[in-house]
Amino acid sequence: MFKKKVISTLILSVLPGAGFSADFTEKVNQGTEVKNEVINDKQDVYGKILDSTITTGGHQYIHTGGSASNIVLNGGKSTVNGALIDNFKILSGIQKLESGAVSENAYIAMSGIQHVNNNATAVSTTVENKGRQYINA
């Protein structure tokens, strides 16, 4: 029989961010790169963010001049304005591409939604398993 401590340790090792509030960079400045973050509140990105996850309660704003790559959107929100993003996995939550935003190689599934608004671009997007993409031209 597993003891409580062993089970907690197993859960924490399998689920990044489980059981604790993750620290993350609230403002990623221009010329700065961060990675491996779990975003569970507001984050403003003017620099570069890599290999991170946006969770429920998280809202990542990627501003003009900023960029993001290999991000998992799992319950939160993402707003992209005039920035380039690549390899977003939108599993649940909503992503809005605003004017000048470019999304490349996105994967949208489960309850994930991507809105591509006027003057935004989505290239090489895969939509499956109840994911949705809306194009507003």
Side-chain angles (χ1 to χ4, degrees), residues 16-79:
F20 62 93
S21 177
D23 290 328
F24 65 92
T25 308
E26 292 180 8
K27 183 177 181 184
V28 180
N29 291 312
Q30 187 175 13
T32 302
E33 179 180 299
V34 298
K35 62 169 98 173
N36 301 319
E37 301 215 315
V38 177
I39 298 114
N40 59 6
D41 205 343
K42 180 182 176 190
Q43 181 182 56
D44 287 295
V45 178
Y46 299 91
K48 186 174 190 174
I49 185 163
L50 305 167
D51 308 322
S52 297
T53 301
I54 305 166
T55 63
T56 301
H59 194 157
Q60 184 181 66
Y61 296 87
I62 305 170
H63 300 277
T64 301
S67 66
S69 185
N70 301 320
I71 307 296
V72 176
L73 179 57
N74 194 8
K77 296 179 183 176
S78 169
T79 303

Side-chain angles (χ1 to χ4, degrees), residues 55-109:
T55 63
T56 301
H59 194 157
Q60 184 181 66
Y61 296 87
I62 305 170
H63 300 277
T64 301
S67 66
S69 185
N70 301 320
I71 307 296
V72 176
L73 179 57
N74 194 8
K77 296 179 183 176
S78 169
T79 303
V80 184
N81 192 354
L84 173 64
I85 61 172
D86 186 41
N87 292 321
F88 250 82
K89 289 184 182 175
I90 306 168
L91 304 179
S92 67
I94 298 173
Q95 180 178 71
K96 292 182 180 178
L97 302 178
E98 303 292 350
S99 182
V102 177
S103 170
E104 296 179 347
N105 306 306
Y107 173 79
I108 309 166

Side-chain angles (χ1 to χ4, degrees), residues 5 8 27 31 33 43 68 96-97 120 124 127 133-134 136:
K5 184 175 182 179
S8 296
K27 183 177 181 184
E33 179 180 299
Q43 181 182 56
K96 292 182 180 178
L97 302 178
S124 299
V127 181
Q133 182 183 53
Y134 299 103
N136 303 324

